[in-house]
Amino acid sequence: MDCGIYGVVKKLRTLLLFIYIFMFVIFTSLNFTHSLSSSSTVQINSNSILVALLDSHYTELAELVEKAMLLQTLEDTVGKNNITIFAPKNEALERDLDPNFKIFLLEPRNLKSLQTLLMSHIIPTRINGSGSVFGLTRHRTLSKVHQLTIQSNGTSQQWSVNGAKIVHLNDVTRPDGVIHGIERLLIPRSVQDDFNRRRSLVSIAAIKPEGAPEVDPRTHRLKKPAPPQNPGSPPVLPIYDALAPGPSLAPAPAPGPGGPRHHFNGEAQVKDFIQTLIHYGGYNEMADILVNLTSLATEMSRLVSEGYVLTVLAPNDEAMAKLTTDQLSEPGSPEQIMYYHLIPEYQTEESMYNAVRRFGKVRYDTLRLPHKVDAQEADGSVKFGHGDGSAYLFDPDIYTDGRISVQGIDGVLFPHQEEETVVDKDVTRTRTGQPAKVVAKQRRGKLLETACWMLGTVGQHSRFTSCQ
C-alpha cells in the first residue's frame, strides 16, 4: 500500500518537473524574442531628414557627410531624437572656403577633424523657426564637446548661429528633423588649431648643420656628451645606433617617450598613421604586420619620440598576398622585410619625384643595413627596386605629418643580390663580403709535374686528367 502511494507521488513530482521546465523554456524564448525586437536597428524610411539631406541642394555638405562615414552615426541619432542640421550653402564650401583648409579636411589622416567639424553643425533636438525661441540659447552638438549659440528675436529675418546668419529658416522639414541654411561654415576651435598646427609644422625645427658625432662602436653611445639641444631638434645619436639590436626587436637602447627629450609623442603619431592606413583601405596586411606579427609599431614609436623621422614604403594588400610562407616563416623574416621598407629620412612624393627627375637614380638608406633601395623615374612616377622585384609609387602621401611619411607602393621590395664576385687567394666571395663557395686549386707534387712535362714533350699529356 505504501509502495503504491510512493510511486504515485514520484510520478506527480516528475510531471510537475516537466511542466516547470516547459514553462521556463517558453518564458525564456518570449523574453529573447522581445529583446531582439527591441534591440533591432532602426530602419530609416524615405521621409527621413537624412534622405532629404542627401537629396537636397546642399550637395557639398552631403558629400562631406558621406566621406566622413557619419551616416550610421546619424541614423542611430535619428532613431532616438529629432535633429537640427545647420547646412552651409554650396558657395560657402566651394568658393568661400580656403582651398588649403578643404584639402586638409579631405586627407584620410584628418578624418577625425572632418567628423568633428560636421557633427558641430548638428544638434540632437528639434529647433523650429516658429518664433518660440527668443534671445540667446546654447545647445550641445553631436560632437559632445562644442556648443552652438543661437540668437533670435522671434522673427524669421534675424536668426543667427555662432555669428553666422541663417539665410533659409526651416528650409527642409521632416517628421524627424529640420534643416536650416546658413551663410558660412562653422569651424570649431579644435579643428582650426589642428589645421594651423599642420600648416605651420610646429613640430619641425630648422637645425643648423653640425659635424657628425663620434659613436663608440662597442657601446653604441656617444664618445663625448652631447651639448644641450633646443626643444624640437633631432637627436644626436644616429638612428642605426638607436635601433633595437638583433632581429627580435628588443626595446631600443635609446630612451623612450619618458626620456629627457620628450618633445614628440611618437606613440600617438604611429597609432595615428596605422589608423590612417586602415581607414584608407587596401593596406590592412601592412598594418597587421606592424602591430601583431612584429613589434615594429613599438620600435617606431620609440624612434619618433626621440626625434627621428621615417618614411614608410607601404606595400598594398595585393602585393602582400604574393608573399610565400617560406618568406615569412624564417625567424626575423617579417622584421627584415619591413626594415627594408623604412627609410630614415622624411620624404614626400614631391621630394622623391623631384630627386629622381634631377639625378636619374637615387639610392636611399634603409633600416636594413647595409642594403639600400634604388629609386628612379618611370612612367611619370617613382619606381623602386630592380627588374621583376620593382614596385611603383601607387598611393602617394597617404600620411604626412612632418615626422612620419607613408607612401603606398604596389609591390614588396627585396634587396638586390649582387652577382659580381671577387676572387681573393683561392676563396670566391660575393660583393657583399659573405663567403659564397670555396674553390681550392688542385695541388701537384714535383714528381707528377716532371712526369707531365715529359709526356707533354711527346704530346701525350692530354690523355691524363691529372696533367690537364
Side-chain angles (χ1 to χ4, degrees):
M1 184 70 178
D2 295 337
C3 295
I5 295 175
Y6 179 75
V8 173
V9 173
K10 186 176 181 180
K11 290 181 180 179
L12 287 175
R13 288 179 178 177
T14 305
L15 180 61
L16 291 174
L17 179 62
F18 277 114
I19 293 175
Y20 175 76
I21 295 175
F22 180 73
M23 295 297 293
F24 178 77
V25 171
I26 292 178
F27 181 75
T28 305
S29 62
L30 289 176
N31 285 342
F32 180 72
T33 305
H34 177 71
S35 63
L36 283 180
S37 61
S38 62
S39 62
S40 58
T41 305
V42 179
Q43 298 295 328
I44 303 300
N45 56 34
S46 59
N47 199 29
S48 172
I49 190 66
L50 298 182
V51 178
L53 173 64
L54 298 178
D55 295 337
S56 66
H57 56 276
Y58 298 105
T59 55
E60 291 291 326
L61 179 64
E63 183 180 356
L64 289 180
V65 170
E66 292 181 350
K67 290 183 177 180
M69 297 182 289
L70 286 176
L71 289 179
Q72 185 61 45
T73 302
L74 296 180
E75 287 179 5
D76 297 340
T77 305
V78 168
K80 301 176 182 178
N81 310 290
N82 282 4
I83 64 173
T84 301
I85 302 176
F86 295 96
K89 58 184 181 180
N90 288 337
E91 292 79 5
L93 297 175
E94 288 179 347
R95 295 195 298 264
D96 301 339
L97 193 63
D98 184 1
N100 294 328
F101 184 70
K102 190 171 184 179
I103 294 174
F104 164 80
L105 292 176
L106 296 180
E107 290 179 352
R109 60 192 174 95
N110 300 323
L111 180 63
K112 292 182 179 179
S113 297
L114 178 60
Q115 292 176 344
T116 302
L117 175 74
L118 295 177
M119 289 192 295
S120 298
H121 288 73
I122 304 174
I123 297 176
T125 184
R126 187 185 187 97
I127 301 177
N128 292 317
S130 58
S132 58
V133 179
F134 299 92
L136 290 174
T137 56
R138 293 182 180 273
H139 301 272
R140 187 174 296 275
T141 63
L142 282 184
S143 64
K144 299 180 180 180
V145 178
H146 304 92
Q147 292 183 344
L148 292 181
T149 302
I150 301 177
Q151 184 176 6
S152 169
N153 61 355
T155 66
S156 60
Q157 300 295 328
Q158 298 180 4
W159 280 65
S160 63
V161 52
N162 279 25
K165 184 179 179 181
I166 299 180
V167 293
H168 299 291
L169 196 64
N170 297 333
D171 194 8
V172 180
T173 59
R174 292 293 186 271
D176 55 359
V178 60
I179 298 178
H180 303 301
I182 57 179
E183 61 179 354
R184 60 178 175 84
L185 187 68
L186 305 177
I187 303 177
R189 176 62 61 87
S190 61
V191 178
Q192 185 68 45
D193 292 342
D194 290 342
F195 172 64
N196 293 336
R197 192 179 303 112
R198 296 293 177 97
R199 181 174 57 179
S200 60
L201 296 178
V202 174
S203 60
I204 299 179
I207 306 299
K208 182 179 179 180
E210 297 179 356
E214 296 183 8
V215 180
D216 190 345
R218 298 172 300 174
T219 61
H220 293 278
R221 292 296 181 183
L222 296 175
K223 291 184 177 180
K224 297 180 180 180
Q229 300 293 317
N230 296 325
S233 61
V236 179
L237 195 68
I239 189 172
Y240 300 104
D241 295 294
L243 281 172
S248 61
L249 287 184
R261 295 191 305 275
H262 41 81
H263 307 298
F264 308 106
N265 190 350
E267 183 178 358
Q269 289 180 275
V270 172
K271 182 179 179 181
D272 189 19
F273 104 76
I274 291 178
Q275 289 180 345
T276 301
L277 280 180
I278 297 175
H279 287 304
Y280 193 88
Y283 294 90
N284 294 331
E285 294 294 333
M286 179 71 177
D288 184 62
I289 287 181
L290 291 177
V291 177
N292 298 324
L293 193 58
T294 66
S295 302
L296 274 175
T298 305
E299 178 78 2
M300 294 171 65
S301 301
R302 293 178 180 274
L303 293 176
V304 175
S305 296
E306 282 301 304
Y308 298 100
V309 293
L310 294 172
T311 297
V312 183
L313 303 179
N316 55 21
D317 289 345
E318 183 178 354
M320 297 294 287
K322 297 179 182 179
L323 291 176
T324 62
T325 306
D326 296 336
Q327 292 173 324
L328 296 174
S329 59
E330 292 293 331
S333 295
E335 288 88 349
Q336 293 300 323
I337 293 175
M338 291 298 102
Y339 269 149
Y340 192 61
H341 292 75
L342 298 179
I343 300 175
E345 304 176 20
Y346 185 77
Q347 296 286 343
T348 62
E349 184 266 343
E350 181 180 3
S351 64
M352 288 191 292
Y353 184 72
N354 290 339
V356 297
R357 283 274 294 178
R358 180 178 181 182
F359 302 107
K361 178 183 287 188
V362 180
R363 306 196 74 186
Y364 293 105
D365 292 328
T366 66
L367 295 189
R368 183 176 177 179
L369 290 174
H371 301 288
K372 300 176 182 288
V373 59
D374 294 342
Q376 56 187 334
E377 183 190 7
D379 301 329
S381 180
V382 182
K383 175 183 175 183
F384 302 95
H386 302 271
D388 297 335
S390 60
Y392 285 85
L393 186 57
F394 191 70
D395 290 317
D397 296 341
I398 297 177
Y399 182 88
T400 52
D401 66 348
R403 312 302 305 175
I404 302 176
S405 172
V406 181
Q407 308 294 327
I409 57 177
D410 61 354
V412 180
L413 301 174
F414 291 94
H416 180 59
Q417 298 295 332
E418 300 281 357
E419 298 297 335
E420 180 181 355
T421 59
V422 179
V423 178
D424 180 18
K425 291 186 179 180
D426 304 341
V427 178
T428 303
R429 294 181 178 269
T430 61
R431 193 173 179 179
T432 58
Q434 300 296 328
K437 184 179 180 181
V438 177
V439 181
K441 294 182 179 180
Q442 192 175 12
R443 295 182 178 273
R444 297 182 296 187
K446 292 185 176 294
L447 182 60
L448 183 58
E449 289 185 359
T450 304
C452 290
W453 175 79
M454 294 177 62
L455 291 173
T457 55
V458 296
Q460 301 295 326
H461 68 284
S462 60
R463 293 186 179 184
F464 302 92
T465 57
S466 300
C467 296
Q468 294 178 1

